Amino acid sequence: MTPAPGPALVMGAGAIGCWVGGRLQAAGAPVHFVGRPSVLEELRLRGLTLTDLDGRRTHLPPDALALHAEVPERLAPALVLLCVKSGATAEAAALLGLRLPAGTPVLSLQNGIGNPAVAAAAAPGLAVIPGMVGFNVVRASPGHWHRGTWGELAAQAHLALQPWLPLFAAAGLALAQHADLRPVQWGKLLLNLNNPVNALSGLPLKRQLLDRDLRIVMAALIEEALAALAVHGIEPAQLATLPPRHMPRGLRLPTWLFRIAARRSLRMDDQARTSMSEDVARGRPTEIDALCGEVVRLAHAAGLRAPRNEWMLERLGRPAPGRMTGREMRAALGL
Ligand SMILES: NC(=O)c1ccc[n+]([C@@H]2O[C@H](COP(=O)([O-])OP(=O)(O)OC[C@H]3O[C@@H](n4cnc5c(N)ncnc54)[C@H](OP(=O)(O)O)[C@@H]3O)[C@@H](O)[C@H]2O)c1
């Protein structure tokens, strides 16, 4: 057990919140989970089980879990993990701001670029720190979350994170600190442009990545983002096998060659899916605005257009976007 600098609070007990919070607790941190009643009920009945693609299993029994339907009063967490989807950021941050002492560090473990700014505007008294989750977690069954891919955790360097680093490392979640997280956030966003493709395809991630038509669609989305980033002078960080500027060419390779070139990135469970695909399956709103929406806004600010990202933004913004094959997507996007 590694000593913790104080209690941690997970705001949004879902895939990322339960995974990261659960692993920190297993490593020795007292963790409080704030979540929806349905999720809390599962955890109260079954405890929290975490598995990963290497077959590692962690179980926290029900009586070991501190579960809350609301941000607890009189708790002074040494770190908050903000783990809600983008559409819930403002409300969740405002609730934290009402209950937590001024200056409480809040690490945003969310996709996209704009969530930390949204949280900071909703809770100006808190110290919001941008973060990035480079791996994929899905709910496998009630009370059980499964990590299906590899990847790192990263954050904007901040003094408040310093005492937590040994705990993150002990939890198997080494937290890389960056003086400027923006290039990492954009590098991750480029990879996440696969999420709408995956969600519309309805396929598991690995099968979808091994479909060249679907990779061609992803390549086109990334190309539009790269053009806009270049105008703004933003150099996205490399988070995959290839540097970002070579990703479109790599994605368009014939599948047999892509299989070899991307073998490290393809190291994932056969059943891993993006959370956007799950959102579509459950009829929930997607985070498309935080992904393709960011690209469209960046392009427009540079006097460019990003028509394929605009198409995805409109399509995944619908309540029931449906499913499409790679060929159908290519035809719809003129590719
Ligand atoms: N899952 C992944 O593999 C993955 C990987 C990298 C990054 N991310 C990012 O991590 C963030 C979280 O994603 P996720 O997949 O963990 O989402 P998730 O499984 O939907 O978990 C979020 C949970 O927070 C709950 N919630 C929202 N507002 C709340 C509030 N005010 N009080 C209590 N609970 C609240 C949600 O309930 P409702 O559904 O009712 O709102 C949901 O149960 C997103 O930005 C996502 O893009 C996810």
Side-chain angles (χ1 to χ4, degrees), residues 261-310:
R263 66 184 172 284
R264 224 161 39 99
S265 308
L266 287 171
R267 205 183 144 229
M268 64 176 74
D269 281 347
D270 289 343
Q271 292 312 311
R273 285 168 201 266
T274 62
S275 62
M276 190 176 285
S277 182
E278 293 206 344
D279 288 339
V280 168
R282 289 194 199 154
R284 298 196 310 187
T286 67
E287 287 189 297
I288 194 68
D289 188 65
L291 303 177
C292 294
E294 287 287 1
V295 175
V296 170
R297 286 188 285 277
L298 193 77
H300 289 180
L304 301 173
R305 284 206 51 216
R308 273 112 191 188
N309 279 280
E310 281 170 28

mmCIF file of all heavy atoms in Angstrom, residues 261-310:
data_model
loop_
_atom_site.group_PDB
_atom_site.id
_atom_site.type_symbol
_atom_site.label_atom_id
_atom_site.label_comp_id
_atom_site.label_asym_id
_atom_site.label_seq_id
_atom_site.Cartn_x
_atom_site.Cartn_y
_atom_site.Cartn_z
ATOM 1 N N ALA A 261 2.121 -2.843 -39.824
ATOM 2 C CA ALA A 261 2.579 -1.515 -39.393
ATOM 3 C C ALA A 261 1.962 -1.118 -38.045
ATOM 4 O O ALA A 261 2.609 -0.450 -37.238
ATOM 5 C CB ALA A 261 2.229 -0.484 -40.465
ATOM 6 N N ALA A 262 0.729 -1.517 -37.799
ATOM 7 C CA ALA A 262 0.010 -1.049 -36.606
ATOM 8 C C ALA A 262 -0.119 -2.143 -35.556
ATOM 9 O O ALA A 262 -1.002 -2.082 -34.706
ATOM 10 C CB ALA A 262 -1.367 -0.538 -37.020
ATOM 11 N N ARG A 263 0.793 -3.134 -35.574
ATOM 12 C CA ARG A 263 0.557 -4.290 -34.689
ATOM 13 C C ARG A 263 0.528 -3.891 -33.216
ATOM 14 O O ARG A 263 -0.193 -4.474 -32.427
ATOM 15 C CB ARG A 263 1.537 -5.434 -34.964
ATOM 16 C CG ARG A 263 2.969 -5.165 -34.660
ATOM 17 C CD ARG A 263 3.827 -6.359 -35.070
ATOM 18 N NE ARG A 263 5.223 -6.012 -34.946
ATOM 19 C CZ ARG A 263 5.874 -5.242 -35.796
ATOM 20 N NH1 ARG A 263 5.256 -4.750 -36.851
ATOM 21 N NH2 ARG A 263 7.146 -4.926 -35.592
ATOM 22 N N ARG A 264 1.311 -2.846 -32.851
ATOM 23 C CA ARG A 264 1.304 -2.431 -31.449
ATOM 24 C C ARG A 264 -0.064 -1.825 -31.083
ATOM 25 O O ARG A 264 -0.641 -2.137 -30.056
ATOM 26 C CB ARG A 264 2.408 -1.408 -31.197
ATOM 27 C CG ARG A 264 3.172 -1.671 -29.907
ATOM 28 C CD ARG A 264 4.519 -0.980 -29.880
ATOM 29 N NE ARG A 264 4.537 0.350 -30.448
ATOM 30 C CZ ARG A 264 4.484 1.491 -29.756
ATOM 31 N NH1 ARG A 264 4.400 1.447 -28.455
ATOM 32 N NH2 ARG A 264 4.531 2.652 -30.356
ATOM 33 N N SER A 265 -0.568 -0.977 -31.956
ATOM 34 C CA SER A 265 -1.872 -0.336 -31.683
ATOM 35 C C SER A 265 -3.009 -1.340 -31.744
ATOM 36 O O SER A 265 -4.060 -1.135 -31.138
ATOM 37 C CB SER A 265 -2.146 0.773 -32.705
ATOM 38 O OG SER A 265 -1.073 1.647 -32.774
ATOM 39 N N LEU A 266 -2.809 -2.430 -32.486
ATOM 40 C CA LEU A 266 -3.887 -3.428 -32.612
ATOM 41 C C LEU A 266 -3.901 -4.410 -31.447
ATOM 42 O O LEU A 266 -4.716 -5.330 -31.420
ATOM 43 C CB LEU A 266 -3.745 -4.189 -33.931
ATOM 44 C CG LEU A 266 -4.129 -3.396 -35.188
ATOM 45 C CD1 LEU A 266 -3.747 -4.162 -36.443
ATOM 46 C CD2 LEU A 266 -5.618 -3.071 -35.201
ATOM 47 N N ARG A 267 -2.977 -4.198 -30.503
ATOM 48 C CA ARG A 267 -2.959 -5.079 -29.335
ATOM 49 C C ARG A 267 -4.102 -4.679 -28.408
ATOM 50 O O ARG A 267 -3.988 -3.787 -27.576
ATOM 51 C CB ARG A 267 -1.609 -4.948 -28.613
ATOM 52 C CG ARG A 267 -1.326 -6.209 -27.837
ATOM 53 C CD ARG A 267 -0.066 -6.178 -27.041
ATOM 54 N NE ARG A 267 -0.327 -6.902 -25.824
ATOM 55 C CZ ARG A 267 -0.053 -6.484 -24.612
ATOM 56 N NH1 ARG A 267 0.554 -5.349 -24.420
ATOM 57 N NH2 ARG A 267 -0.358 -7.202 -23.561
ATOM 58 N N MET A 268 -5.235 -5.299 -28.636
ATOM 59 C CA MET A 268 -6.428 -4.970 -27.847
ATOM 60 C C MET A 268 -7.358 -6.177 -27.846
ATOM 61 O O MET A 268 -7.202 -7.093 -28.654
ATOM 62 C CB MET A 268 -7.147 -3.765 -28.470
ATOM 63 C CG MET A 268 -7.671 -4.041 -29.853
ATOM 64 S SD MET A 268 -8.610 -2.670 -30.563
ATOM 65 C CE MET A 268 -7.347 -1.500 -30.975
ATOM 66 N N ASP A 269 -8.324 -6.150 -26.932
ATOM 67 C CA ASP A 269 -9.314 -7.222 -26.896
ATOM 68 C C ASP A 269 -10.116 -7.253 -28.185
ATOM 69 O O ASP A 269 -10.431 -6.201 -28.738
ATOM 70 C CB ASP A 269 -10.317 -6.958 -25.766
ATOM 71 C CG ASP A 269 -9.766 -7.339 -24.428
ATOM 72 O OD1 ASP A 269 -8.739 -8.022 -24.405
ATOM 73 O OD2 ASP A 269 -10.369 -6.943 -23.423
ATOM 74 N N ASP A 270 -10.513 -8.454 -28.590
ATOM 75 C CA ASP A 270 -11.323 -8.563 -29.803
ATOM 76 C C ASP A 270 -12.658 -7.834 -29.646
ATOM 77 O O ASP A 270 -13.254 -7.417 -30.626
ATOM 78 C CB ASP A 270 -11.589 -10.040 -30.126
ATOM 79 C CG ASP A 270 -10.306 -10.718 -30.613
ATOM 80 O OD1 ASP A 270 -9.371 -9.992 -30.983
ATOM 81 O OD2 ASP A 270 -10.256 -11.961 -30.593
ATOM 82 N N GLN A 271 -13.133 -7.730 -28.418
ATOM 83 C CA GLN A 271 -14.464 -7.142 -28.207
ATOM 84 C C GLN A 271 -14.437 -5.676 -27.794
ATOM 85 O O GLN A 271 -15.494 -5.083 -27.548
ATOM 86 C CB GLN A 271 -15.248 -7.960 -27.171
ATOM 87 C CG GLN A 271 -15.639 -9.352 -27.657
ATOM 88 C CD GLN A 271 -16.262 -9.325 -29.049
ATOM 89 O OE1 GLN A 271 -17.160 -8.533 -29.329
ATOM 90 N NE2 GLN A 271 -15.755 -10.178 -29.941
ATOM 91 N N ALA A 272 -13.224 -5.069 -27.700
ATOM 92 C CA ALA A 272 -13.160 -3.661 -27.265
ATOM 93 C C ALA A 272 -13.947 -2.779 -28.237
ATOM 94 O O ALA A 272 -13.888 -2.963 -29.446
ATOM 95 C CB ALA A 272 -11.704 -3.205 -27.209
ATOM 96 N N ARG A 273 -14.713 -1.841 -27.693
ATOM 97 C CA ARG A 273 -15.477 -0.883 -28.494
ATOM 98 C C ARG A 273 -15.270 0.495 -27.914
ATOM 99 O O ARG A 273 -14.883 0.633 -26.752
ATOM 100 C CB ARG A 273 -16.988 -1.169 -28.401
ATOM 101 C CG ARG A 273 -17.435 -2.349 -29.194
ATOM 102 C CD ARG A 273 -18.852 -2.733 -28.825
ATOM 103 N NE ARG A 273 -19.085 -4.118 -29.209
ATOM 104 C CZ ARG A 273 -19.625 -4.480 -30.370
ATOM 105 N NH1 ARG A 273 -20.015 -3.575 -31.219
ATOM 106 N NH2 ARG A 273 -19.774 -5.744 -30.668
ATOM 107 N N THR A 274 -15.563 1.520 -28.671
ATOM 108 C CA THR A 274 -15.464 2.875 -28.123
ATOM 109 C C THR A 274 -16.708 3.154 -27.288
ATOM 110 O O THR A 274 -17.772 2.560 -27.507
ATOM 111 C CB THR A 274 -15.388 3.921 -29.253
ATOM 112 O OG1 THR A 274 -16.587 3.838 -30.019
ATOM 113 C CG2 THR A 274 -14.185 3.689 -30.141
ATOM 114 N N SER A 275 -16.557 4.101 -26.336
ATOM 115 C CA SER A 275 -17.731 4.422 -25.522
ATOM 116 C C SER A 275 -18.773 5.135 -26.383
ATOM 117 O O SER A 275 -19.967 5.093 -26.077
ATOM 118 C CB SER A 275 -17.345 5.235 -24.288
ATOM 119 O OG SER A 275 -16.779 6.455 -24.654
ATOM 120 N N MET A 276 -18.340 5.769 -27.501
ATOM 121 C CA MET A 276 -19.331 6.406 -28.372
ATOM 122 C C MET A 276 -20.226 5.350 -29.022
ATOM 123 O O MET A 276 -21.417 5.565 -29.218
ATOM 124 C CB MET A 276 -18.653 7.263 -29.437
ATOM 125 C CG MET A 276 -19.637 8.133 -30.192
ATOM 126 S SD MET A 276 -18.885 9.246 -31.384
ATOM 127 C CE MET A 276 -18.186 10.519 -30.366
ATOM 128 N N SER A 277 -19.647 4.197 -29.327
ATOM 129 C CA SER A 277 -20.441 3.121 -29.905
ATOM 130 C C SER A 277 -21.484 2.650 -28.883
ATOM 131 O O SER A 277 -22.639 2.385 -29.233
ATOM 132 C CB SER A 277 -19.516 1.967 -30.302
ATOM 133 O OG SER A 277 -20.249 0.954 -30.903
ATOM 134 N N GLU A 278 -21.064 2.578 -27.614
ATOM 135 C CA GLU A 278 -22.015 2.187 -26.563
ATOM 136 C C GLU A 278 -23.107 3.236 -26.407
ATOM 137 O O GLU A 278 -24.265 2.903 -26.202
ATOM 138 C CB GLU A 278 -21.278 2.045 -25.227
ATOM 139 C CG GLU A 278 -20.318 0.895 -25.218
ATOM 140 C CD GLU A 278 -20.091 0.371 -23.819
ATOM 141 O OE1 GLU A 278 -20.418 1.069 -22.846
ATOM 142 O OE2 GLU A 278 -19.574 -0.742 -23.717
ATOM 143 N N ASP A 279 -22.706 4.510 -26.503
ATOM 144 C CA ASP A 279 -23.711 5.584 -26.380
ATOM 145 C C ASP A 279 -24.759 5.452 -27.472
ATOM 146 O O ASP A 279 -25.954 5.596 -27.213
ATOM 147 C CB ASP A 279 -23.029 6.965 -26.460
ATOM 148 C CG ASP A 279 -22.226 7.279 -25.214
ATOM 149 O OD1 ASP A 279 -22.491 6.665 -24.161
ATOM 150 O OD2 ASP A 279 -21.313 8.125 -25.284
ATOM 151 N N VAL A 280 -24.297 5.177 -28.710
ATOM 152 C CA VAL A 280 -25.248 5.024 -29.823
ATOM 153 C C VAL A 280 -26.155 3.821 -29.564
ATOM 154 O O VAL A 280 -27.374 3.901 -29.717
ATOM 155 C CB VAL A 280 -24.488 4.878 -31.166
ATOM 156 C CG1 VAL A 280 -25.423 4.417 -32.277
ATOM 157 C CG2 VAL A 280 -23.836 6.206 -31.550
ATOM 158 N N ALA A 281 -25.547 2.722 -29.105
ATOM 159 C CA ALA A 281 -26.339 1.505 -28.859
ATOM 160 C C ALA A 281 -27.405 1.754 -27.795
ATOM 161 O O ALA A 281 -28.499 1.199 -27.867
ATOM 162 C CB ALA A 281 -25.408 0.368 -28.435
ATOM 163 N N ARG A 282 -27.076 2.615 -26.819
ATOM 164 C CA ARG A 282 -28.038 2.845 -25.728
ATOM 165 C C ARG A 282 -28.936 4.058 -25.958
ATOM 166 O O ARG A 282 -29.661 4.469 -25.058
ATOM 167 C CB ARG A 282 -27.269 3.067 -24.422
ATOM 168 C CG ARG A 282 -26.624 1.794 -23.935
ATOM 169 C CD ARG A 282 -26.184 1.944 -22.510
ATOM 170 N NE ARG A 282 -25.196 0.928 -22.198
ATOM 171 C CZ ARG A 282 -24.279 1.047 -21.278
ATOM 172 N NH1 ARG A 282 -24.211 2.136 -20.557
ATOM 173 N NH2 ARG A 282 -23.430 0.083 -21.041
ATOM 174 N N GLY A 283 -28.784 4.687 -27.141
ATOM 175 C CA GLY A 283 -29.602 5.864 -27.439
ATOM 176 C C GLY A 283 -29.245 7.067 -26.588
ATOM 177 O O GLY A 283 -30.084 7.942 -26.349
ATOM 178 N N ARG A 284 -27.990 7.126 -26.110
ATOM 179 C CA ARG A 284 -27.580 8.266 -25.281
ATOM 180 C C ARG A 284 -26.909 9.319 -26.162
ATOM 181 O O ARG A 284 -26.377 8.995 -27.233
ATOM 182 C CB ARG A 284 -26.569 7.820 -24.210
ATOM 183 C CG ARG A 284 -27.141 6.804 -23.247
ATOM 184 C CD ARG A 284 -26.302 6.666 -22.007
ATOM 185 N NE ARG A 284 -24.894 6.471 -22.245
ATOM 186 C CZ ARG A 284 -24.025 6.201 -21.287
ATOM 187 N NH1 ARG A 284 -24.426 6.127 -20.036
ATOM 188 N NH2 ARG A 284 -22.753 6.017 -21.554
ATOM 189 N N PRO A 285 -26.878 10.589 -25.716
ATOM 190 C CA PRO A 285 -26.161 11.596 -26.504
ATOM 191 C C PRO A 285 -24.674 11.237 -26.600
ATOM 192 O O PRO A 285 -24.110 10.675 -25.653
ATOM 193 C CB PRO A 285 -26.343 12.891 -25.700
ATOM 194 C CG PRO A 285 -27.210 12.576 -24.542
ATOM 195 C CD PRO A 285 -27.477 11.112 -24.491
ATOM 196 N N THR A 286 -24.050 11.526 -27.718
ATOM 197 C CA THR A 286 -22.626 11.214 -27.882
ATOM 198 C C THR A 286 -21.781 12.458 -27.569
ATOM 199 O O THR A 286 -22.310 13.558 -27.412
ATOM 200 C CB THR A 286 -22.321 10.797 -29.328
ATOM 201 O OG1 THR A 286 -22.507 11.940 -30.167
ATOM 202 C CG2 THR A 286 -23.216 9.653 -29.780
ATOM 203 N N GLU A 287 -20.464 12.249 -27.519
ATOM 204 C CA GLU A 287 -19.545 13.377 -27.286
ATOM 205 C C GLU A 287 -19.020 13.947 -28.613
ATOM 206 O O GLU A 287 -17.927 14.474 -28.674
ATOM 207 C CB GLU A 287 -18.355 12.903 -26.449
ATOM 208 C CG GLU A 287 -18.679 12.637 -25.007
ATOM 209 C CD GLU A 287 -17.416 12.392 -24.189
ATOM 210 O OE1 GLU A 287 -16.714 11.416 -24.473
ATOM 211 O OE2 GLU A 287 -17.143 13.194 -23.275
ATOM 212 N N ILE A 288 -19.824 13.839 -29.675
ATOM 213 C CA ILE A 288 -19.329 14.217 -31.001
ATOM 214 C C ILE A 288 -18.913 15.698 -31.056
ATOM 215 O O ILE A 288 -17.955 16.050 -31.741
ATOM 216 C CB ILE A 288 -20.378 13.870 -32.101
ATOM 217 C CG1 ILE A 288 -19.736 13.940 -33.478
ATOM 218 C CG2 ILE A 288 -21.613 14.718 -32.004
ATOM 219 C CD1 ILE A 288 -18.711 12.892 -33.751
ATOM 220 N N ASP A 289 -19.614 16.532 -30.294
ATOM 221 C CA ASP A 289 -19.257 17.960 -30.339
ATOM 222 C C ASP A 289 -17.862 18.214 -29.774
ATOM 223 O O ASP A 289 -17.173 19.134 -30.178
ATOM 224 C CB ASP A 289 -20.304 18.797 -29.586
ATOM 225 C CG ASP A 289 -20.041 20.279 -29.786
ATOM 226 O OD1 ASP A 289 -20.161 20.735 -30.940
ATOM 227 O OD2 ASP A 289 -19.654 20.959 -28.806
ATOM 228 N N ALA A 290 -17.443 17.375 -28.800
ATOM 229 C CA ALA A 290 -16.119 17.546 -28.197
ATOM 230 C C ALA A 290 -15.013 16.999 -29.104
ATOM 231 O O ALA A 290 -13.833 17.217 -28.843
ATOM 232 C CB ALA A 290 -16.066 16.847 -26.840
ATOM 233 N N LEU A 291 -15.384 16.282 -30.169
ATOM 234 C CA LEU A 291 -14.384 15.685 -31.075
ATOM 235 C C LEU A 291 -14.479 16.378 -32.442
ATOM 236 O O LEU A 291 -13.763 17.340 -32.704
ATOM 237 C CB LEU A 291 -14.586 14.169 -31.163
ATOM 238 C CG LEU A 291 -14.534 13.433 -29.809
ATOM 239 C CD1 LEU A 291 -14.814 11.960 -29.994
ATOM 240 C CD2 LEU A 291 -13.194 13.630 -29.111
ATOM 241 N N CYS A 292 -15.394 15.928 -33.299
ATOM 242 C CA CYS A 292 -15.521 16.554 -34.623
ATOM 243 C C CYS A 292 -15.908 18.033 -34.494
ATOM 244 O O CYS A 292 -15.475 18.858 -35.315
ATOM 245 C CB CYS A 292 -16.548 15.811 -35.461
ATOM 246 S SG CYS A 292 -16.015 14.135 -35.842
ATOM 247 N N GLY A 293 -16.694 18.367 -33.472
ATOM 248 C CA GLY A 293 -17.070 19.768 -33.268
ATOM 249 C C GLY A 293 -15.850 20.649 -33.045
ATOM 250 O O GLY A 293 -15.763 21.768 -33.565
ATOM 251 N N GLU A 294 -14.859 20.145 -32.289
ATOM 252 C CA GLU A 294 -13.619 20.918 -32.053
ATOM 253 C C GLU A 294 -12.878 21.135 -33.366
ATOM 254 O O GLU A 294 -12.318 22.204 -33.607
ATOM 255 C CB GLU A 294 -12.697 20.185 -31.069
ATOM 256 C CG GLU A 294 -13.145 20.202 -29.619
ATOM 257 C CD GLU A 294 -12.967 21.562 -28.941
ATOM 258 O OE1 GLU A 294 -12.507 22.523 -29.574
ATOM 259 O OE2 GLU A 294 -13.339 21.648 -27.746
ATOM 260 N N VAL A 295 -12.849 20.094 -34.218
ATOM 261 C CA VAL A 295 -12.144 20.206 -35.500
ATOM 262 C C VAL A 295 -12.837 21.248 -36.378
ATOM 263 O O VAL A 295 -12.184 22.106 -36.982
ATOM 264 C CB VAL A 295 -12.094 18.841 -36.216
ATOM 265 C CG1 VAL A 295 -11.466 18.972 -37.599
ATOM 266 C CG2 VAL A 295 -11.340 17.823 -35.382
ATOM 267 N N VAL A 296 -14.166 21.168 -36.424
ATOM 268 C CA VAL A 296 -14.927 22.109 -37.258
ATOM 269 C C VAL A 296 -14.677 23.542 -36.779
ATOM 270 O O VAL A 296 -14.409 24.444 -37.585
ATOM 271 C CB VAL A 296 -16.433 21.750 -37.207
ATOM 272 C CG1 VAL A 296 -17.285 22.838 -37.846
ATOM 273 C CG2 VAL A 296 -16.667 20.403 -37.893
ATOM 274 N N ARG A 297 -14.694 23.751 -35.479
ATOM 275 C CA ARG A 297 -14.490 25.106 -34.957
ATOM 276 C C ARG A 297 -13.068 25.591 -35.254
ATOM 277 O O ARG A 297 -12.854 26.739 -35.637
ATOM 278 C CB ARG A 297 -14.772 25.151 -33.444
ATOM 279 C CG ARG A 297 -16.267 25.088 -33.123
ATOM 280 C CD ARG A 297 -16.543 25.325 -31.646
ATOM 281 N NE ARG A 297 -16.199 24.181 -30.809
ATOM 282 C CZ ARG A 297 -16.993 23.120 -30.607
ATOM 283 N NH1 ARG A 297 -18.159 23.049 -31.204
ATOM 284 N NH2 ARG A 297 -16.621 22.133 -29.825
ATOM 285 N N LEU A 298 -12.096 24.694 -35.076
ATOM 286 C CA LEU A 298 -10.697 25.081 -35.348
ATOM 287 C C LEU A 298 -10.524 25.422 -36.827
ATOM 288 O O LEU A 298 -9.853 26.397 -37.177
ATOM 289 C CB LEU A 298 -9.760 23.930 -34.964
ATOM 290 C CG LEU A 298 -8.279 24.288 -34.899
ATOM 291 C CD1 LEU A 298 -7.955 25.045 -33.619
ATOM 292 C CD2 LEU A 298 -7.407 23.022 -34.974
ATOM 293 N N ALA A 299 -11.141 24.616 -37.700
ATOM 294 C CA ALA A 299 -11.044 24.864 -39.147
ATOM 295 C C ALA A 299 -11.683 26.204 -39.485
ATOM 296 O O ALA A 299 -11.088 27.032 -40.188
ATOM 297 C CB ALA A 299 -11.712 23.725 -39.912
ATOM 298 N N HIS A 300 -12.876 26.438 -38.957
ATOM 299 C CA HIS A 300 -13.567 27.694 -39.270
ATOM 300 C C HIS A 300 -12.754 28.893 -38.791
ATOM 301 O O HIS A 300 -12.659 29.901 -39.489
ATOM 302 C CB HIS A 300 -14.961 27.722 -38.632
ATOM 303 C CG HIS A 300 -15.917 26.780 -39.313
ATOM 304 N ND1 HIS A 300 -17.223 26.610 -38.934
ATOM 305 C CD2 HIS A 300 -15.748 25.924 -40.352
ATOM 306 C CE1 HIS A 300 -17.818 25.713 -39.709
ATOM 307 N NE2 HIS A 300 -16.936 25.279 -40.583
ATOM 308 N N ALA A 301 -12.142 28.759 -37.619
ATOM 309 C CA ALA A 301 -11.336 29.871 -37.091
ATOM 310 C C ALA A 301 -10.122 30.141 -37.973
ATOM 311 O O ALA A 301 -9.554 31.232 -37.943
ATOM 312 C CB ALA A 301 -10.890 29.559 -35.662
ATOM 313 N N ALA A 302 -9.732 29.136 -38.764
ATOM 314 C CA ALA A 302 -8.580 29.309 -39.667
ATOM 315 C C ALA A 302 -9.040 29.651 -41.078
ATOM 316 O O ALA A 302 -8.231 29.672 -42.007
ATOM 317 C CB ALA A 302 -7.761 28.009 -39.694
ATOM 318 N N GLY A 303 -10.358 29.891 -41.253
ATOM 319 C CA GLY A 303 -10.890 30.205 -42.579
ATOM 320 C C GLY A 303 -10.986 28.973 -43.468
ATOM 321 O O GLY A 303 -11.056 29.086 -44.691
ATOM 322 N N LEU A 304 -10.971 27.769 -42.860
ATOM 323 C CA LEU A 304 -11.072 26.524 -43.628
ATOM 324 C C LEU A 304 -12.434 25.894 -43.398
ATOM 325 O O LEU A 304 -13.173 26.299 -42.493
ATOM 326 C CB LEU A 304 -9.999 25.519 -43.169
ATOM 327 C CG LEU A 304 -8.537 25.930 -43.283
ATOM 328 C CD1 LEU A 304 -7.657 24.864 -42.629
ATOM 329 C CD2 LEU A 304 -8.143 26.101 -44.746
ATOM 330 N N ARG A 305 -12.725 24.867 -44.193
ATOM 331 C CA ARG A 305 -13.902 24.051 -43.912
ATOM 332 C C ARG A 305 -13.446 22.633 -43.603
ATOM 333 O O ARG A 305 -12.339 22.234 -43.990
ATOM 334 C CB ARG A 305 -14.846 24.050 -45.104
ATOM 335 C CG ARG A 305 -15.636 25.366 -45.208
ATOM 336 C CD ARG A 305 -16.952 25.163 -45.926
ATOM 337 N NE ARG A 305 -17.717 24.049 -45.368
ATOM 338 C CZ ARG A 305 -18.457 23.234 -46.117
ATOM 339 N NH1 ARG A 305 -18.533 23.395 -47.419
ATOM 340 N NH2 ARG A 305 -19.131 22.236 -45.560
ATOM 341 N N ALA A 306 -14.274 21.905 -42.882
ATOM 342 C CA ALA A 306 -13.943 20.515 -42.559
ATOM 343 C C ALA A 306 -15.209 19.703 -42.813
ATOM 344 O O ALA A 306 -15.871 19.228 -41.883
ATOM 345 C CB ALA A 306 -13.495 20.417 -41.100
ATOM 346 N N PRO A 307 -15.574 19.534 -44.103
ATOM 347 C CA PRO A 307 -16.911 18.994 -44.431
ATOM 348 C C PRO A 307 -17.166 17.583 -43.904
ATOM 349 O O PRO A 307 -18.298 17.262 -43.554
ATOM 350 C CB PRO A 307 -16.947 19.018 -45.961
ATOM 351 C CG PRO A 307 -15.542 19.239 -46.417
ATOM 352 C CD PRO A 307 -14.805 19.907 -45.305
ATOM 353 N N ARG A 308 -16.105 16.760 -43.843
ATOM 354 C CA ARG A 308 -16.348 15.385 -43.376
ATOM 355 C C ARG A 308 -16.580 15.360 -41.864
ATOM 356 O O ARG A 308 -17.401 14.594 -41.361
ATOM 357 C CB ARG A 308 -15.186 14.475 -43.750
ATOM 358 C CG ARG A 308 -15.351 13.906 -45.127
ATOM 359 C CD ARG A 308 -14.378 14.410 -46.089
ATOM 360 N NE ARG A 308 -14.702 14.054 -47.463
ATOM 361 C CZ ARG A 308 -13.888 14.267 -48.473
ATOM 362 N NH1 ARG A 308 -12.707 14.812 -48.285
ATOM 363 N NH2 ARG A 308 -14.252 13.950 -49.692
ATOM 364 N N ASN A 309 -15.866 16.211 -41.142
ATOM 365 C CA ASN A 309 -16.124 16.322 -39.699
ATOM 366 C C ASN A 309 -17.500 16.952 -39.463
ATOM 367 O O ASN A 309 -18.202 16.589 -38.528
ATOM 368 C CB ASN A 309 -15.022 17.137 -39.024
ATOM 369 C CG ASN A 309 -13.788 16.302 -38.741
ATOM 370 O OD1 ASN A 309 -13.740 15.563 -37.766
ATOM 371 N ND2 ASN A 309 -12.801 16.386 -39.623
ATOM 372 N N GLU A 310 -17.871 17.913 -40.341
ATOM 373 C CA GLU A 310 -19.214 18.516 -40.216
ATOM 374 C C GLU A 310 -20.285 17.448 -40.403
ATOM 375 O O GLU A 310 -21.285 17.423 -39.684
ATOM 376 C CB GLU A 310 -19.398 19.612 -41.276
ATOM 377 C CG GLU A 310 -18.730 20.921 -40.897
ATOM 378 C CD GLU A 310 -18.709 21.928 -42.053
ATOM 379 O OE1 GLU A 310 -19.591 21.887 -42.925
ATOM 380 O OE2 GLU A 310 -17.774 22.751 -42.064
#
